[in-house]
Amino acid sequence: MNKNINAPLRSKTLSMLKGFIYTNKTILTIIFLIFISILVYFPVIWHKFQMHWDDQWVVINAYTEDGLTSDNLLAILTEFYNGQYAPANQLSYTLLYSAFGYNPFWFHLFGLVIHISNVILVYFFIKRLLNLTKSFKITSVQRIALLTATIMALHPFLVESVAWLSASKILIYSFFYLSAIHFYLNYITAPRIKHYLLMVVFFILSFAGKEQAVTLPVCLLLIDYALKRNFRDKRLWLEKLPLFVLAFFFGYITLLSQSADKAGLLSEAPHYPFYQNIIFASYSVTEYLVKCLIPVKLSYLYVFPNAIGREVPVRFWMYPVMLLIICLSFWSFWKKHWVFFGISFFIIHLGVCLHIIPISRFAIVADRYVYIAAVGIFFLMAYFIDRALNHAKYKNLTIVLSFLYLLSIGTYAHQRSKVWHDSELLKRELKELLKKRNEFQKHKVIK
């Protein structure tokens, strides 16, 4: 009799204990991610404005200084500025200026807080996604999510987005974008209209941060693929239809904003021929992928190899051929469920930055454009590390190599964040890089 009475009590106590442990693990994980992010990026909060690298007009401008008036808010929401439309980003500058004036400390602190928030959002995104698939062990879910977020927190390829105030568009768009994904996961688990509407609202806010947000509908289809939703279900496509309409509308606004500055597809400005755009896209994908895996020779500027109207250097022709050969040779590997998800996540979020559609870009590659796309590669790295850890034979070696990798990229990111202290230090780095490159070329000629 006592056993029957005590059984529900024991079950309830055990459930509460599990909940307590789960909650504490989550809190400790968040504290860990905050700690390592601050450890890497704390030099950034003491940086100055980049007065010779866009901050002098992106951050410091009339929209910022005019404050929170109705006329200024209307101008921020309705006007294009130097070929850009990013009202959410501009509004953040206006709010910060209204509170603190042109004190770079608060602007940089805000950027760091948003970056840390994005790292935590990525952790919960991967964790929720893998839990919903019900195809991973609990330990693997936690490990993959934590590793993905940790790599994001430490990776030097993302430093530009955090350390450069003019790149805060990336951080803000990413925050709203990842939030929209979370509301979509809410909608999948509990199909309520409020979840859908919140996803749409955050999609709009994400585009108000930066035009790269137009990829969200395709990203959600990829999430449907990951969760093995039925693509023959009309509801799946009907729920995406309003998002695709918004995405095309946003894309048109982006082209209009660029044409207002006499650039982009809708302008009469000269463009690279399409075949060269394909070559540039192939090169860019390769560079972004390699630097996600092995972040070497990072710079704040990667110029096009040729001017418009000139022939592209012969060595660049190898990139589309090489990518085609790699894709065909390893197709059986690429089409594996989670490999396909990671690679596709990477490609989708680089789509608007790969030069296939002529848009206003003066660099063939830019570190900031990979901020969200890199999550796909970081996920794959975490996924394969987890698989290696599940084999006793490779466990110790995997732990050692993973620790050394994380330590090295974290150290590099910390050092690289210091390069962005001011314009003089930033441009000195480029001069030194060009000097080394010229010396290397001379050495090759002599040999």
Side-chain angles (χ1 to χ4, degrees):
M1 186 69 178
N2 289 337
K3 287 183 178 179
N4 292 334
I5 293 172
N6 292 331
L9 183 61
R10 284 199 301 270
S11 177
K12 187 177 180 180
T13 304
L14 186 61
S15 178
M16 289 176 63
L17 183 62
K18 285 181 178 178
F20 177 77
I21 293 170
Y22 179 83
T23 303
N24 276 287
K25 271 188 176 180
T26 302
I27 292 171
L28 288 172
T29 299
I30 292 171
I31 291 172
F32 169 75
L33 292 173
I34 293 171
F35 173 75
I36 62 172
S37 298
I38 292 174
L39 197 62
V40 168
Y41 284 106
F42 75 83
V44 167
I45 61 175
W46 311 114
H47 286 2
K48 300 178 182 179
F49 290 116
Q50 291 288 343
M51 296 306 292
H52 300 291
W53 193 242
D54 290 357
D55 285 359
Q56 74 277 10
W57 65 270
V58 174
V59 183
I60 301 172
N61 57 52
Y63 298 107
T64 302
E65 294 165 7
D66 284 351
L68 296 172
T69 66
S70 57
D71 288 343
N72 192 38
L73 288 174
L74 183 63
I76 290 171
L77 291 172
T78 59
E79 293 179 1
F80 301 141
Y81 177 55
N82 284 14
Q84 299 190 34
Y85 182 72
N89 184 61
Q90 177 56 58
L91 188 57
S92 73
Y93 297 149
T94 304
L95 289 168
L96 287 166
Y97 175 79
S98 299
F100 308 109
Y102 281 130
N103 186 339
F105 172 86
W106 296 104
F107 284 78
H108 283 295
L109 180 62
F110 174 75
L112 179 55
V113 169
I114 297 295
H115 173 63
I116 293 171
S117 302
N118 290 338
V119 168
I120 293 169
L121 283 170
V122 164
Y123 165 74
F124 282 113
F125 163 50
I126 299 300
K127 188 175 181 179
R128 292 187 70 190
L129 182 70
L130 298 186
N131 275 326
L132 285 172
T133 66
K134 298 178 181 178
S135 56
F136 289 85
K137 294 179 181 178
I138 294 174
T139 52
S140 288
V141 169
Q142 175 64 21
R143 198 153 52 199
I144 293 170
L146 179 57
L147 276 170
T148 304
T150 300
I151 297 170
M152 183 181 183
L154 299 177
H155 208 286
F157 207 8
L158 309 188
V159 166
E160 180 177 273
S161 300
V162 187
W164 186 26
L165 289 177
S166 293
S168 60
K169 295 187 289 289
I170 296 290
L171 300 177
I172 290 173
Y173 121 77
S174 300
F175 176 78
F176 290 126
Y177 193 95
L178 291 167
S179 299
I181 288 175
H182 279 279
F183 284 116
Y184 182 66
L185 294 177
N186 288 345
Y187 175 74
I188 289 175
T189 53
R192 297 173 187 164
I193 189 66
K194 69 175 183 179
H195 295 151
Y196 186 87
L197 291 177
L198 283 168
M199 174 188 64
V200 173
V201 168
F202 277 85
F203 178 28
I204 294 169
L205 289 171
S206 182
F207 171 74
K210 188 166 175 61
E211 72 278 357
Q212 278 182 267
V214 298
T215 58
L216 183 69
V218 183
C219 175
L220 299 186
L221 286 174
L222 181 63
I223 290 172
D224 291 335
Y225 162 81
L227 297 176
K228 298 182 179 179
R229 295 185 73 196
N230 183 9
F231 278 78
R232 294 180 181 178
D233 187 345
K234 290 181 181 178
R235 289 175 299 179
L236 183 145
W237 294 99
L238 287 173
E239 68 193 22
K240 304 297 185 307
L241 183 59
L243 302 176
F244 274 106
V245 172
L246 275 174
F248 281 110
F249 176 66
F250 292 158
Y252 182 64
I253 289 176
T254 300
L255 293 176
L256 282 177
S257 69
Q258 294 185 351
S259 67
D261 199 43
K262 298 180 180 179
L265 184 65
L266 299 182
S267 72
E268 296 181 359
H271 306 304
Y272 287 101
F274 183 70
Y275 80 92
Q276 289 191 5
N277 288 338
I278 296 298
I279 294 171
F280 296 151
S282 302
Y283 171 80
S284 297
V285 168
T286 306
E287 281 291 291
Y288 284 124
L289 178 58
V290 170
K291 282 179 166 55
C292 278
L293 297 170
I294 310 169
V296 295
K297 295 183 179 179
L298 298 180
S299 174
Y300 73 95
L301 184 61
Y302 309 87
V303 297
F304 278 92
N306 58 295
I308 295 173
R310 299 288 183 90
E311 281 301 316
V312 65
V314 175
R315 66 184 179 87
F316 279 81
W317 282 87
M318 75 174 184
Y319 288 98
V321 176
M322 179 180 65
L323 282 181
L324 184 62
I325 292 171
I326 290 172
C327 288
L328 293 175
S329 301
F330 298 94
W331 178 243
S332 59
F333 173 72
W334 303 129
K335 69 180 183 180
K336 289 181 179 179
H337 190 76
W338 290 108
V339 174
F340 182 82
F341 171 80
I343 291 293
S344 297
F345 194 94
F346 174 71
I347 297 296
I348 286 168
H349 293 97
L350 283 177
V352 297
C353 306
L354 292 179
H355 314 290
I356 295 174
I357 298 174
I359 50 179
S360 178
R361 303 254 184 256
F362 61 85
I364 190 169
V365 169
D367 292 5
R368 59 192 179 277
Y369 296 147
V370 83
Y371 189 82
I372 285 290
V375 172
I377 304 303
F378 299 161
F379 164 78
L380 280 180
M381 293 167 70
Y383 172 74
F384 284 111
I385 288 171
D386 174 72
R387 290 188 64 177
L389 289 172
N390 288 328
H391 290 80
K393 184 179 178 181
Y394 306 112
K395 187 174 182 178
N396 291 336
L397 179 62
T398 302
I399 291 172
V400 171
L401 292 178
S402 299
F403 175 77
L404 291 174
Y405 179 79
L406 293 173
L407 181 64
S408 63
I409 63 171
T411 303
Y412 184 18
H414 178 76
Q415 293 300 322
R416 179 143 191 82
S417 71
K418 296 177 182 179
V419 172
W420 287 88
H421 182 265
D422 56 37
S423 296
E424 293 303 317
L425 196 58
L426 187 67
K427 294 192 175 184
R428 192 187 309 160
E429 184 210 42
L430 184 62
K431 288 177 183 178
E432 290 174 359
L433 183 65
L434 291 173
K435 183 179 178 181
K436 288 179 182 178
R437 189 173 294 173
N438 290 335
E439 288 175 355
F440 176 73
Q441 293 294 337
K442 287 179 181 178
H443 181 67
K444 281 179 67 177
V445 171
I446 291 170
K447 285 186 72 176

